[in-house]
């Protein structure tokens, strides 16, 4: 997979704009007894998104923020901020309004509200717009008479010492009119944060890592209250000793962090010294772009006996309140870095935030979650579904487990995605879903509604369903939208009891398809077994290598184009009188089209009653009512079988195809208006976030493979 460098994500989430009030400039009157309009404030801090840290000792400043349970910066009891009120567009100290000079306020950690420490509020002047500057001083030390505060970053070995360097500054509240209340003060970090995810290599595995120092970084500097700037001394004079996290990042043996001065591009003279088993190992930080304030940079570090290897930072993102976000294409995306981020995203969607967007920035292991609650865990009675974007960005999500979920709910990483939703670049590995509930179940999503898109995704593992499940697929339980350029290697097994007049469906990509499947490849086997509750109704069992049923309606066809099915398909009835259908590509095709595809698995059926109806075929099990199959190849051992699909119109059955036979059949023709999310391995993110329609030359999507078995080119965009 292409390693994505987040230098291209230097997009800070846009803070809400403060409406500027239009007013005439009047004589400033400070605490004008005639106006007496007090100023109220709320404070929001853009918090650092760090692994969980705990207090490792040290003094407790009287005024400071703290690291919460999630590792994010938060206000704590006793925090205080200094607020200055200036004439609009004025400068500190010349334009301070009387009564607005360095007024200390205490912070309510629960609400973020500020109250004057001395009990007397600030008052607006007459009808004059004002600016507010505020800062949080975690050290408790006052600046000098020139509004300059000296800073020393050398010792950050405890949480308290690191927090003492975390200067917070607010200058967003400008042009505020008299009577505005509360005034929202949005604080930002003035330092940069560096994080080192350290892995001990061969020869040092399980070694005792005791110390991380940064050399070549400037240890001394200053803060200028007048404009919120931070300056470093030009000559490094001491190492910066980093803070060790109690809990390491996923995949790392240890994680260390440090606050450092923002600077221009690193010229290559910065080094990291890691002490393991009492011996120092040294490596050079790579040359990078500038380190900016209010941003965190994560370096992958490997320590070997030969030295230290430091990679390019894989994240370069803003510190935000609670969640990391980035703005792309004028949309805000949460950054999903670990299982906790993904679970938090799922919880928020399930609580009603169904239009959230997410961008995954690392591989995620869900081993610690025994029973995943699907994102937008929906039931058949629900009317609101996930409508946002989840961009997996080519990273893996491994060890998804579901067993069981509440009856009637849709099963998968996602439950039900609705109109406008997009899932792209998501790659599931080692999935294990065992469930006896839910009408529709897939590994990625239970149901893809009309107007929703799944593109450039994959899944590997197993899904095993029983009970009253209706549709089971290797990727999606059911599809009414668009699934394009997806791949599965999922063992699909369903043993169901049919209720009322319901039938059951199983397929390597989706259980049933009422929409579009384009350029999908299913490698796993599909097994469907079923019985029925009552003989009052006629129930069917349908299974196929791609989909159990491909069925359109009166106005819209269901279409399958350019697909490959490799696995065997088996359908068995355990109750007399249930018709069974099995096909290499689809168990049934009705009011739909299947073209430019091939199947290489065996499709078989097993009936219970002597006179029961069973149909199987190498391409489809059964075609009924206005269906079209063309340019398809079936290599199953049963050949045409009992299917009513004749070998004509470029339909071929052959168990032993020769070199080039299949490619010649499946690679001809053109398609119009195929929905795409574009793929560019050199972009960030590599997987597009906009669905567009494009005309397609089918030949562009087929590669000859080994000569006998063509393969699909998933990188093509038209």
């Amino acid at each position: 997979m292409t390693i994505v460098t987040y230098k291209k994500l230097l997009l800070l989430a846009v803070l809400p704009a403060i409406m500027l009030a239009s007013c005439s400039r009047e004589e400033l009157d400070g605490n004008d007894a005639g106006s007496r309009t007090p100023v109220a404030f709320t404070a929001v801090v853009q918090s650092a998104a760090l692994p969980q840290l705990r207090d490792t000792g040290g003094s407790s400043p009287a005024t400071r923020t703290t690291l919460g349970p999630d590792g994010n910066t938060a206000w704590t009891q006793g925090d205080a901020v200094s607020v200055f009120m200036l004439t609009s567009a004025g400068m500190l100290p010349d334009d301070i309004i009387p009564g607005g000079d360095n007024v200390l306020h205490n912070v309510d950690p629960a609400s973020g509200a500020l109250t004057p420490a001395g009990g007397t509020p600030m008052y607006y002047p007459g009808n004059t717009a004002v600016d507010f500057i505020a800062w949080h001083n975690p050290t408790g030390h006052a600046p000098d008479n020139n509004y300059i505060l000296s800073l020393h970053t050398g010792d950050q070995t405890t949480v308290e010492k690191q927090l003492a360097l975390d200067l917070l500054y607010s200058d967003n509240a400008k042009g505020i009119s008299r009577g505005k209340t509360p005034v929202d003060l949005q604080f930002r970090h003035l330092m940069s944060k560096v994080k080192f995810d350290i892995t001990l290599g061969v020869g040092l595995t399980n070694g005792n890592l005791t110390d991380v120092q940064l050399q070549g970084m400037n240890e001394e500097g200053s803060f200028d209250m007048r404009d919120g700037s931070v300056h470093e001394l030009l000559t490094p004079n001491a190492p910066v000793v980093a803070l060790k996290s109690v809990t390491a990042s996923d995949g790392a043996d240890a994680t260390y962090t440090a606050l450092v001065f923002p600077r221009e591009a690193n010229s290559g003279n910065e080094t990291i010294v890691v002490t393991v088993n009492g011996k120092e190992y040294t490596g050079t930080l790579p040359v990078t772009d500038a380190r900016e304030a209010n941003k965190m940079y994560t370096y992958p570090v490997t320590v070997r006996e030969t030295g230290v290897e430091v990679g390019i930072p894989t994240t370069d993102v803003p510190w935000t309140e609670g969640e990391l976000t980035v703005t792309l294409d004028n949309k805000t995306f949460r950054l999903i870095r670990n299982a906790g981020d993904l679970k938090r995203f799922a919880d928020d969607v399930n609580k009603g935030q169904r239009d959230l967007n997410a961008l995954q920035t690392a591989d995620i292991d869900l081993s610690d979650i025994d029973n995943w609650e699907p994102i937008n865990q929906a039931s058949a009675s629900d009317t609101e579904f996930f409508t946002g974007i989840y961009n997996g960005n080519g990273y893996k999500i491994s060890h998804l487990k579901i067993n069981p979920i509440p009856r009637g709910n849709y099963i998968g990483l996602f439950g039900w995605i609705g109109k406008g939703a997009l899932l792209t670049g998501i790659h599931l590995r080692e999935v294990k879903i065992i469930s006896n509930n839910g009408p529709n179940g897939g590994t990625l999503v239970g149901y893809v509604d009309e107007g929703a898109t799944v593109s450039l995704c994959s899944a590997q593992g197993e899904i095993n369903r029983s009970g009253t499940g209706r549709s089971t697929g290797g990727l999606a339980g059911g599809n009414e939208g668009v699934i394009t350029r997806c791949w599965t290697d999922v063992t699909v097994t369903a043993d169901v009891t049919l209720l009322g007049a319901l039938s059951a469906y199983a397929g390597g990509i989706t259980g049933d398809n009422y929409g579009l499947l384009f350029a999908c490849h299913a490698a796993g086997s599909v097994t469907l077994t079923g019985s029925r509750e009552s003989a009052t109704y006629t129930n069917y069992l349908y299974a196929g290598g791609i989909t159990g049923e491909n069925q359109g309606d009166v106005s819209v066809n269901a279409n399958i184009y350019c697909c490959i099915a490799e696995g065997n398909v088996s359908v068995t009835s355990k109750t007399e009188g249930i018709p069974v259908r099995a096909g290499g590509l689809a168990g049934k095709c009705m009011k739909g089209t299947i073209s430019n595809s091939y199947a290489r698995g065996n499709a078989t059926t097993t009936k219970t009653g002597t006179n029961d109806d069973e149909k199987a075929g190498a391409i489809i099990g059964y075609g009924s009512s206005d269906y079209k199959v063309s340019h398809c190849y079936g290599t199953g051992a049963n050949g045409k079988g009992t299917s009513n699909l004749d070998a004509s119109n470029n339909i071929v059955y052959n168990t032993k195809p020769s070199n080039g036979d299949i490619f010649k059949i499946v690679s001809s023709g053109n398609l119009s208006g195929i929905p795409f999310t574009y793929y560019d391995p050199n972009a960030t993110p590599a997987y597009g976030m906009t669905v567009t329609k494009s005309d397609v030359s089918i030949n562009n999507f087929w590669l000859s493979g080994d000569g006998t078995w063509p393969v699909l080119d998933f990188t093509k965009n038209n």
Side-chain angles (χ1 to χ4, degrees):
M1 187 196 86
T2 302
I3 297 176
V4 179
T5 301
Y6 281 89
K7 289 298 176 184
K8 299 180 182 179
L9 295 184
L10 297 177
L11 298 173
L12 196 61
V14 177
L15 299 175
I18 303 293
M19 295 297 294
L20 301 181
S22 174
C23 59
S24 62
R25 181 172 179 85
E26 298 182 359
E27 182 180 1
L28 306 179
D29 51 8
N31 292 328
D32 181 9
S35 66
R36 304 301 294 178
T37 303
V39 188
F41 301 95
T42 59
V44 176
V45 60
Q46 294 178 263
S47 310
L50 300 173
Q52 182 174 345
L53 299 173
R54 297 188 179 89
D55 192 351
T56 58
S59 62
S60 298
T63 315
R64 65 174 183 84
T65 55
T66 188
L67 293 175
D70 58 357
N72 296 316
T73 306
W75 298 115
T76 190
Q77 198 67 42
D79 276 344
V81 298
S82 294
V83 184
F84 295 82
M85 182 167 57
L86 312 176
T87 59
S88 185
M91 300 291 293
L92 187 72
D94 297 337
D95 298 306
I96 296 175
I97 292 176
D101 186 5
N102 194 26
V103 181
L104 195 66
H105 288 71
N106 294 321
V107 185
D108 182 354
S111 65
L114 303 186
T115 56
T120 302
M122 303 172 75
Y123 290 93
Y124 282 105
N127 296 324
T128 302
V130 297
D131 295 347
F132 293 98
I133 292 175
W135 74 297
H136 169 68
N137 178 9
T139 67
H141 298 147
D144 61 25
N145 293 332
N146 295 317
Y147 295 89
I148 303 297
L149 178 69
S150 297
L151 300 172
H152 301 271
T153 64
D155 186 0
Q156 300 184 38
T157 53
T158 70
V159 170
E160 299 293 341
K161 292 176 179 179
Q162 188 174 94
L163 285 170
L165 296 168
D166 191 9
L167 296 168
L168 303 174
Y169 190 79
S170 171
D171 60 357
N172 67 289
K174 297 184 181 295
I176 306 302
S177 298
R178 175 180 175 179
K180 165 70 174 176
T181 185
V183 176
D184 297 319
L185 301 178
Q186 297 166 350
F187 289 82
R188 65 182 185 274
H189 302 267
L190 297 183
M191 302 290 280
S192 300
K193 185 174 284 291
V194 291
K195 180 164 80 107
F196 300 94
D197 289 334
I198 301 175
T199 302
L200 300 180
V202 177
L204 297 176
T205 305
N206 299 321
N208 184 22
L209 199 164
T210 56
D211 187 65
V212 170
Q213 295 187 18
L214 306 175
Q215 298 179 351
M217 295 185 177
N218 299 317
E219 186 267 341
E220 293 185 4
S222 62
F223 160 64
D224 191 334
M225 187 190 301
R226 294 168 295 182
D227 59 5
S229 60
V230 169
H231 306 276
E232 60 181 348
L233 294 181
L234 297 180
T235 304
N237 52 7
V240 175
V241 186
L243 169 68
K244 184 177 183 179
S245 302
V246 171
T247 303
S249 301
D250 292 343
D253 292 321
T255 294
Y256 282 77
T257 63
L259 297 184
V260 297
F261 294 105
R263 64 168 299 173
E264 299 298 323
N266 171 25
S267 60
N269 60 347
E270 297 178 346
T271 60
I272 181 172
V273 181
V274 183
T275 302
V276 182
N277 298 331
K279 183 179 178 179
E280 292 185 346
Y281 299 85
T282 301
T284 300
L285 270 61
V287 176
T288 60
D289 295 338
R291 279 195 303 266
E292 300 182 41
N294 205 49
K295 292 189 177 181
M296 180 173 69
Y297 301 80
T298 301
Y299 294 81
V301 177
T302 302
V303 185
R304 298 187 174 91
E305 290 184 328
T306 55
V308 178
E309 298 178 5
V310 186
I312 297 293
T314 55
T315 57
D316 178 359
V317 295
W319 301 350
T320 61
E321 182 70 37
E323 300 288 344
L324 282 175
T325 62
V326 66
T327 301
L328 299 170
D329 294 342
N330 296 317
K331 299 182 181 72
T332 299
F333 288 79
R334 286 193 188 182
L335 299 186
I336 308 299
R337 304 153 295 163
N338 50 47
D341 286 347
L342 184 57
K343 182 62 167 62
R344 208 160 28 246
F345 176 81
D347 290 343
D348 288 342
V349 172
N350 288 331
K351 291 175 183 176
Q353 300 183 58
R354 291 181 171 83
D355 60 349
L356 290 178
N357 303 317
L359 178 67
Q360 191 171 327
T361 64
D363 292 335
I364 293 173
D365 191 338
L366 297 179
S367 296
D368 292 336
I369 301 177
D370 292 328
N371 190 22
W372 175 260
E373 180 180 341
I375 302 169
N376 201 88
Q377 180 169 288
S379 67
S381 62
D382 288 333
T383 58
E384 296 185 5
F385 312 112
F386 177 74
T387 59
I389 300 170
Y390 190 101
N391 192 322
N393 207 23
Y395 290 102
K396 297 189 293 291
I397 299 174
S398 58
H399 299 108
L400 169 69
K401 301 187 293 292
I402 299 177
N403 181 27
I405 67 169
R407 183 169 180 168
N409 285 358
Y410 289 74
I411 298 169
L413 179 70
F414 288 78
W416 191 316
I417 62 173
K419 184 177 181 179
L422 171 62
L423 309 181
T424 185
I426 305 170
H427 301 294
L428 304 178
R429 296 293 182 266
E430 299 181 77
V431 177
K432 189 171 185 177
I433 296 176
I434 302 174
S435 177
N436 61 353
N437 292 312
N440 288 53
T443 56
L444 179 64
V445 57
Y447 199 79
V448 182
D449 209 343
E450 182 179 4
T453 302
V454 178
S455 181
L456 292 163
C457 295
S458 68
Q460 178 272 324
E462 64 177 288
I463 180 168
N464 190 329
R465 300 188 66 217
S466 59
T468 58
R470 181 172 178 268
S471 295
T472 305
L475 192 75
N479 175 54
E480 200 173 344
V482 174
I483 300 177
T484 69
R485 294 180 294 172
C486 292
W487 170 87
T488 63
D489 185 6
V490 176
T491 301
V492 179
T493 307
D495 186 359
V496 300
T497 301
L498 302 172
L499 302 179
L502 296 177
S503 297
Y505 314 89
I509 297 295
T510 181
D512 53 8
N513 178 56
Y514 300 91
L516 171 64
L517 304 179
F518 172 76
C520 292
H521 184 168
S525 62
V526 179
T527 302
L528 175 62
T529 304
S531 59
R532 64 183 180 184
E533 185 180 61
S534 171
T536 304
Y537 305 96
T538 300
N539 313 98
Y540 291 83
L541 296 171
Y542 301 100
I546 296 296
T547 184
E549 178 186 54
N550 187 59
Q551 179 170 327
D553 56 29
V554 176
S555 59
V556 180
N557 282 349
N559 298 314
I560 298 174
Y561 303 126
C562 303
C563 288
I564 302 170
E566 292 190 63
N568 292 328
V569 179
S570 173
V571 182
T572 301
S573 68
K574 297 192 294 184
T575 303
E576 187 175 0
I578 301 178
V580 289
R581 309 284 190 260
L585 291 172
K588 175 186 177 183
C589 188
M590 179 177 179
K591 291 185 171 59
T593 298
I594 302 176
S595 72
N596 300 91
S597 303
Y598 75 88
R600 52 187 301 188
N602 298 323
T604 59
T605 57
T606 303
K607 61 184 181 180
T608 297
T610 304
N611 299 319
D612 285 351
D613 184 11
E614 59 177 344
K615 290 181 170 60
I619 296 174
I620 65 171
Y622 186 73
S624 173
S625 181
D626 300 327
Y627 74 96
K628 180 180 179 181
V629 178
S630 66
H631 294 87
C632 288
Y633 205 107
T635 70
N638 289 338
K640 177 183 173 183
T642 58
S643 171
N644 60 347
L645 180 61
D646 295 327
S648 61
N649 193 26
N650 289 306
I651 298 170
V652 176
Y653 304 98
N654 188 347
T655 60
K656 296 181 179 180
S658 300
N659 190 291
D661 285 353
I662 299 177
F663 184 82
K664 181 180 179 181
I665 294 295
V666 303
S667 63
S668 63
N670 299 285
L671 298 170
S672 60
I674 300 296
F676 275 93
T677 54
Y678 286 82
Y679 175 76
D680 181 358
N682 297 315
T684 304
Y687 298 76
M689 295 177 294
T690 302
V691 180
T692 59
K693 291 186 176 181
S694 177
D695 294 342
V696 167
S697 174
I698 292 175
N699 184 68
N700 286 342
F701 284 87
W702 284 104
L703 303 174
S704 60
D706 64 1
T708 301
W709 306 106
V711 296
L712 291 163
D713 187 349
F714 289 96
T715 67
K716 292 290 185 181
N717 292 315
N718 52 50

